[in-house]
Amino acid sequence: MSHRPIILGIVGDSAAGKTTLTRGIAQILGEDNVTVICTDDYHRYDRKQRAEIGISALHPDCNYLDIIQQHLSLLRSGQPILKPIYNHSTGAFDPPEYIKPNKFVIVEGLLGYSTRGMRDTYDVKVFLAPPEALRSTWKIKRDTRKRGYTEEQVIEQLRKRESDSEAFIRPQRQWADAVVTFYPSNGGTEYDDLLLNVRLVLRPTIPHPDFTKILDSNGNHQGSAVRLELDRDMGKPVDVLEVDGHATDEQVRQIERVLCSEVPHLGQFCSLEGNQDIGKVVGTTGETLQSYPLAITQLLITYHMLKAANVAAAMAIQV
Ligand SMILES: Nc1ncnc2c1ncn2[C@@H]1O[C@H](COP(=O)(O)OP(=O)(O)OP(=O)(O)O)[C@@H](O)[C@H]1O
Ligand SMILES: O=C(CO)[C@H](O)[C@H](O)COP(=O)(O)O
């Protein structure tokens, strides 16, 4: 399969799970086939300057969006970039790095869908939208363990950044082909990260797999742990697939078969016996996460990347 790089966008607020999902997808596609770019590297100011100016990293003015867009275009046409590096440990910038795109490029970050030019560069656009309570828990855990903050500092930062989250981050949901929400089944504060459900909002902006094949006339599959329904998201009609953390092997395998039958190349990843690592990922605080909802989410996004690669390869032959 020879084609221009396929670009996946993963956008969402801080600690929404972008890096974790990126790792899982890169594992499926093969680390050597994937270039990962985190747009935190394009912050305009270091941590000290941000504090002095009183601007948050979530504000578009605090990021070189024009250079992100320029670099995305270069990567899409297979050209290298000299990428800045923002160091989360020091809060300052390291020397830039030379990056050549692999077959697949995953661009994850806060503001990736802010401009039309950026949006037009992706083949697949995903937005991560965990409930705010879950995101706060994840951010406190990650930032206290990995970024040297105290719990109080993280809580204060979340409070201060809320208006920018509302103004600049959450509206980007409208541009995504798929919106991914992991959530605790009881809706409460007591939950197990390995038993989170997932709600996948599927917009008709790209053709999704035909999940109706495995569902009964009520949109359920062998009980209610897998559900497909029509809904509205930001006022527009969407399909919604939900997979519960306690879905069974058989239910999950059937969903996988739908994905794999449409994109044969995905077949090598689909069998749960064949690849025990699907849905298993080491989170950014070092913990091992594995669940069926995570596995289905990773496979669905990989499905779209492989489909985009097939289209790009076919176009390359025509030219
Ligand atoms: N699907 C998931 N299931 C369980 N826990 C998760 C999941 N995704 C993320 N987490 C938890 O949330 C933490 C933050 O996730 P991650 O670092 O991937 O977020 P991020 O969106 O990349 O954040 P940032 O933009 O601030 O770098 C992880 O360390 C992990 O503990
Ligand atoms: O929202 C974030 C994405 O990771 C970070 O807070 C942002 O990148 C700034 O970094 P730091 O908090 O380390 O100063």
Side-chain angles (χ1 to χ4, degrees), residues 161-218:
R161 299 185 355 164
E162 168 52 27
S163 58
D164 281 350
S165 289
E166 190 187 354
F168 306 118
I169 308 297
R170 295 200 282 270
Q172 295 177 95
R173 174 187 183 113
Q174 69 187 292
W175 306 113
D177 302 309
V179 179
V180 177
T181 298
F182 290 99
Y183 66 96
S185 55
N186 57 10
T189 46
E190 290 298 309
Y191 65 88
D192 177 347
D193 269 340
L194 303 183
L195 280 179
L196 295 175
N197 302 341
V198 74
R199 176 179 164 87
L200 298 165
V201 170
L202 310 174
R203 290 234 170 75
T205 43
I206 52 174
H208 295 282
D210 182 6
F211 291 116
T212 58
K213 285 180 192 159
I214 55 161
L215 299 168
D216 64 24
S217 53
N218 297 321

Side-chain angles (χ1 to χ4, degrees), residues 26-36 100-104:
Q27 252 167 243
I28 299 179
L29 289 168
E31 313 273 350
D32 292 345
N33 293 322
V34 180
T35 301
V36 176
K100 268 177 103 164
N102 286 316
K103 282 186 195 160
F104 300 97

Side-chain angles (χ1 to χ4, degrees), residues 14-20 138 141-142 147 182 284-285 287 289:
S14 182
K18 301 180 294 294
T19 310
T20 305
W138 285 352
K141 183 170 73 168
R142 201 270 320 274
R147 295 189 179 172
F182 290 99
T284 48
T285 45
E287 75 280 47
L289 302 165

Side-chain angles (χ1 to χ4, degrees), residues 7-50:
I7 315 238
L8 166 67
I10 300 190
V11 168
D13 212 331
S14 182
K18 301 180 294 294
T19 310
T20 305
L21 185 59
T22 297
R23 283 184 185 176
I25 295 166
Q27 252 167 243
I28 299 179
L29 289 168
E31 313 273 350
D32 292 345
N33 293 322
V34 180
T35 301
V36 176
I37 307 278
C38 173
T39 63
D40 289 356
D41 289 327
Y42 295 81
H43 289 332
R44 188 183 297 262
Y45 308 112
D46 64 24
R47 192 179 295 155
K48 188 164 167 278
Q49 290 171 318
R50 267 181 272 131

Side-chain angles (χ1 to χ4, degrees), residues 247-277:
T248 64
D249 278 10
E250 183 46 29
Q251 289 172 321
V252 172
R253 263 191 217 125
Q254 287 207 15
I255 302 176
E256 290 188 344
R257 273 184 224 123
V258 171
L259 295 167
C260 297
S261 63
E262 289 188 32
V263 177
H265 188 59
L266 196 58
Q268 62 185 287
F269 308 114
C270 279
S271 141
L272 290 182
E273 298 85 9
N275 186 346
Q276 296 293 330
D277 286 340

